[in-house]
C-alpha cells in the first residue's frame, strides 16, 4: 500500500497526520499561537458596538441594535467610542479588563468578492486577493511553522483541531497534524484493528510512522477521558465550543505550538437578534470557549500564548428586511493572551475612523484599514523575532504592520 493510502487509513481515526508529526518545541521557548476562524462572517457591529456614533448606528439598526450602555442588556462600555456585546460580560470582558484581550477594528482583507469560500481560501493561503495563481498546497500557518523550524525555534509542532487538514496548514514547509476533538471518544479504528494495521507494516519503512500515529491517538484518548471524567464532577458544559476549547488547551499546553480551529454558524441573514437571540447565543458560547481555553492553559502557559480570532469578512452596517445582516467587508479581529503588551491589552487598536454614512465602504460596510496580512505579519514579527524577509515568506511579500500587541 502506498504512503498516501496509509495516511488516508490512519485518518479514519480521530487523529489524522500523526505519522508525519514534528517534535514539539522545547518548553523553554514556550510560545503558543492559536488561530480561531469564525466561518460565515460574523457581525462585528454587534460584537463591538460603535457607541461613539450612536445616532447613526441606531438609525441603521432599528430592530437588532444593542442598547446604549447603562440600559438593561446594554452594551458594556470599553472606552468612549466602543461597547461590547453583553453576552460576553462573564467571559471576554474580564480578560479585556485584565489587559489580556484587545480588538482590532476595521480589520480584514482587500478581497471584494463577498464570497465566503473564495475569501476564506484567500485568507488561509495568506495571499493578496489579486494573486493570479493560488497555490492551494501552501497555507500561511504552514509557512510560518516552516520559518520557525528553520530559525527561532529548532522544532515546531502545528495542529488543526478539525476533521480535515485545512488550507491554512497545508504545505511542505512543515508537517502538521489534524484532529477533531468534538468526538474524540469514538475511535474510527479499535485496538484489534490497530494491531492488524501495525502488523501489516512491521519490518517496513512505514512501521515507525504507523506506531507513532496510533501512540498519539491513544495518548490523546487517555487525556480526553480524564477531562470528561472531571466534567461530570465540575459542571463543565457537556457540549459546545467550551468543551472543545478546553481540550485544545490540554494539547497545546503540553505538546503543540501552533493551533487552528474553525467555528461555524455566523452567516446571520435572518433573525440575528440583538442582546438576546441567535447571535447572542453564539457569542456567549464562543466567549465561554475562549475563557475556558485561557483557564485550562494555566497562568504560566497563558502568559506565553496568543489567540487570534478572525473571520472572512464582516456584515452590512445596516440591518436587512429580515432583521439580519448581509455579506459585508471589514470586520473586527480579537487578540487575546496573558502576555499582551500593556499599551495594547484592554484597548481597541489599529487604524480607526468614525463610522458614519460618509465613511462606510460603498455606503454599506466597514472599511478595511488594517489589512490582515500586514497585521498578522507584525504580530508574528514581535512574537517570534522574525526578520522582514521571514515575514515576507509567510505572507507573500506583504509588509508587516506593527500594532505592538505583544
Amino acid at each position: 500500500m502506498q504512503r498516501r493510502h496509509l495516511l488516508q487509513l490512519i485518518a479514519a481515526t480521530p487523529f489524522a497526520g500523526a505519522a508525519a508529526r514534528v517534535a514539539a518545541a522545547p518548553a523553554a521557548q514556550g510560545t503558543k499561537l492559536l488561530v480561531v476562524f469564525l466561518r460565515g462572517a460574523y457581525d462585528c457591529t454587534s460584537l463591538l458596538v460603535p457607541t461613539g456614533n450612536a445616532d447613526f448606528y441606531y438609525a441603521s439598526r432599528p430592530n437588532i441594535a444593542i442598547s446604549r450602555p447603562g440600559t438593561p442588556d446594554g452594551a458594556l462600555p470599553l472606552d468612549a467610542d466602543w461597547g461590547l456585546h453583553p453576552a460576553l460580560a462573564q467571559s471576554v470582558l474580564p480578560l479585556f479588563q485584565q489587559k489580556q484581550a484587545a480588538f482590532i477594528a476595521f480589520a480584514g482583507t482587500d478581497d471584494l468578492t463577498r464570497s465566503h469560500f473564495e475569501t476564506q481560501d484567500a485568507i488561509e493561503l495568506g495571499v493578496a486577493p489579486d494573486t493570479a495563481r493560488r497555490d492551494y498546497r501552501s497555507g500561511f500557518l504552514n509557512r510560518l511553522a516552516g520559518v520557525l523550524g528553520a530559525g527561532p525555534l529548532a522544532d515546531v509542532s502545528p495542529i488543526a483541531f478539525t476533521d480535515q487538514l485545512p488550507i491554512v496548514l497545508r504545505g511542505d514547509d512543515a508537517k502538521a497534524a489534524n484532529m477533531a476533538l468534538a468526538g474524540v471518544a469514538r475511535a474510527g479504528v479499535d485496538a484489534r484493528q490497530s494491531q492488524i494495521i501495525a502488523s501489516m507494516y512491521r519490518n517496513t519503512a512505514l512501521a515507525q510512522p504507523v506506531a507513532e500515529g496510533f501512540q498519539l491517538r491513544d495518548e490523546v484518548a487517555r487525556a480526553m477521558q480524564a477531562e470528561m471524567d472531571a466534567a461530570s464532577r465540575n459542571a463543565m458544559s457537556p457540549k459546545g465550543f467550551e468543551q472543545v476549547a478546553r481540550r485544545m488547551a490540554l494539547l497545546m499546553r503540553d505538546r503543540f505550538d501552533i493551533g487552528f480551529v474553525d467555528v461555524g454558524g455566523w452567516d446571520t441573514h435572518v433573525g440575528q437578534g440583538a442582546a438576546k437571540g441567535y447571535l447572542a447565543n453564539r457569542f456567549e458560547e464562543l466567549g465561554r470557549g475562549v475563557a475556558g481555553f485561557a483557564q485550562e492553559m494555566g497562568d504560566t502557559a497563558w502568559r506565553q500564548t496568543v489567540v487570534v480570532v478572525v473571520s472572512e469578512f464582516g456584515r452590512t452596517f445596516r440591518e436587512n428586511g429580515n432583521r439580519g445582516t448581509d455579506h459585508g467587508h471589514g470586520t473586527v479581529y480579537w487578540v487575546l493572551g496573558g502576555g499582551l503588551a500593556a499599551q495594547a491589552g484592554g484597548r481597541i487598536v489599529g487604524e480607526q475612523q468614525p463610522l458614519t454614512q460618509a465613511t462606510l465602504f460603498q455606503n454599506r460596510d466597514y472599511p478595511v484599514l488594517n489589512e490582515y496580512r500586514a497585521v498578522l505579519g507584525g504580530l508574528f514579527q514581535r512574537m517570534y523575532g522574525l526578520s522582514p524577509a521571514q515575514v515576507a515568506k509567510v505572507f507573500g511579500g506583504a509588509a508587516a504592520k506593527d500594532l505592538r500587541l505583544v
Side-chain angles (χ1 to χ4, degrees):
M1 184 182 296
Q2 295 179 349
R3 184 181 180 89
R4 175 172 59 85
H5 295 142
L6 167 65
L7 294 179
Q8 289 174 346
L9 184 59
I10 293 179
T13 71
F15 181 87
R21 66 180 173 85
V22 188
Q29 294 174 321
T31 302
K32 308 288 184 180
L33 169 69
L34 174 67
V35 176
V36 182
F37 201 129
L38 305 184
R39 296 194 189 274
Y42 86 101
D43 179 40
C44 67
T45 311
S46 288
L47 171 88
L48 203 60
V49 183
T51 54
N53 295 281
D55 290 343
F56 180 56
Y57 168 71
Y58 289 110
S60 300
R61 297 186 167 213
N63 299 293
I64 66 170
I66 309 301
S67 300
R68 298 173 188 270
T71 62
D73 292 325
L76 309 169
L78 299 180
D79 62 20
D81 298 316
W82 303 99
L84 187 67
H85 194 290
L88 300 169
Q90 304 302 316
S91 56
V92 176
L93 180 63
L95 292 173
F96 188 88
Q97 293 170 332
Q98 296 163 27
K99 298 187 181 300
Q100 296 181 9
F103 296 102
I104 308 172
F106 305 101
T109 171
D110 293 329
D111 187 290
L112 299 179
T113 65
R114 295 190 176 90
S115 161
H116 290 301
F117 305 114
E118 184 169 341
T119 311
Q120 287 175 16
D121 289 353
I123 289 176
E124 291 188 64
L125 292 170
V127 298
D130 58 354
T131 301
R133 296 183 61 183
R134 296 180 177 180
D135 183 359
Y136 286 85
R137 299 166 300 175
S138 179
F140 80 78
L141 280 183
N142 188 280
R143 296 194 297 274
L144 173 65
V147 165
L148 296 178
L153 301 178
D155 299 295
V156 62
S157 186
I159 183 171
F161 301 103
T162 55
D163 289 319
Q164 303 293 328
L165 190 67
I167 291 174
V168 73
L169 271 171
R170 293 179 191 171
D172 297 327
D173 293 276
K175 299 298 183 182
N178 70 284
M179 180 175 190
L181 298 183
V184 292
R186 301 187 300 273
V189 178
D190 62 24
R192 182 185 66 83
Q193 293 168 324
S194 300
Q195 292 175 357
I196 293 173
I197 294 172
S199 67
M200 291 170 56
Y201 295 97
R202 189 172 296 127
N203 300 322
T204 72
L206 293 176
Q208 183 175 352
V210 170
E212 289 179 348
F214 286 125
Q215 179 183 357
L216 182 56
R217 183 201 64 177
D218 293 342
E219 289 177 8
V220 170
R222 286 193 294 270
M224 295 306 101
Q225 187 59 53
E227 180 268 339
M228 287 184 281
D229 290 343
S232 64
R233 300 190 298 268
N234 299 329
M236 187 179 80
S237 172
K239 60 182 180 180
F241 183 64
E242 179 183 2
Q243 185 182 44
V244 170
R246 288 181 180 273
R247 291 172 174 176
M248 292 191 303
L250 292 174
L251 293 173
M252 290 207 61
R253 184 183 63 202
D254 300 325
R255 191 179 191 99
F256 294 96
D257 311 295
I258 296 175
F260 175 88
V261 66
D262 47 14
V263 183
W266 302 96
D267 199 17
T268 52
H269 289 282
V270 178
Q272 177 174 304
K276 299 187 184 301
Y278 177 82
L279 183 60
N281 293 339
R282 298 298 296 165
F283 279 146
E284 184 179 8
E285 182 182 48
L286 180 65
R288 287 201 313 267
V290 168
F293 180 87
Q295 183 182 50
E296 204 70 48
M297 288 295 287
D299 290 343
T300 300
W302 181 239
R303 284 195 295 271
Q304 296 178 285
T305 299
V306 174
V307 178
V308 182
V309 182
V310 305
S311 196
E312 63 262 39
F313 43 73
R315 306 193 72 81
T316 48
F317 191 80
R318 300 178 181 88
E319 68 178 69
N320 62 26
N322 294 313
R323 300 193 176 192
T325 50
D326 299 319
H327 297 178
H329 187 45
T331 186
V332 174
Y333 289 174
W334 315 16
V335 182
L336 311 100
L340 291 193
Q343 67 267 30
R347 292 186 55 208
I348 290 80
V349 300
E351 186 179 349
Q352 302 174 42
Q353 65 184 28
L355 280 166
T356 66
Q357 182 169 331
T359 61
L360 290 183
F361 178 74
Q362 296 182 347
N363 193 30
R364 51 173 279 161
D365 305 323
Y366 262 60
V368 170
L369 306 178
N370 302 289
E371 195 268 340
Y372 84 103
R373 298 187 308 150
V375 167
L376 294 184
L379 174 62
F380 298 161
Q381 194 172 55
R382 279 195 167 264
M383 287 178 64
Y384 302 112
L386 302 186
S387 68
Q390 289 171 317
V391 172
K393 179 174 175 56
V394 175
F395 285 117
K401 183 174 185 175
D402 187 5
L403 300 183
R404 300 181 178 272
L405 288 162
V406 294

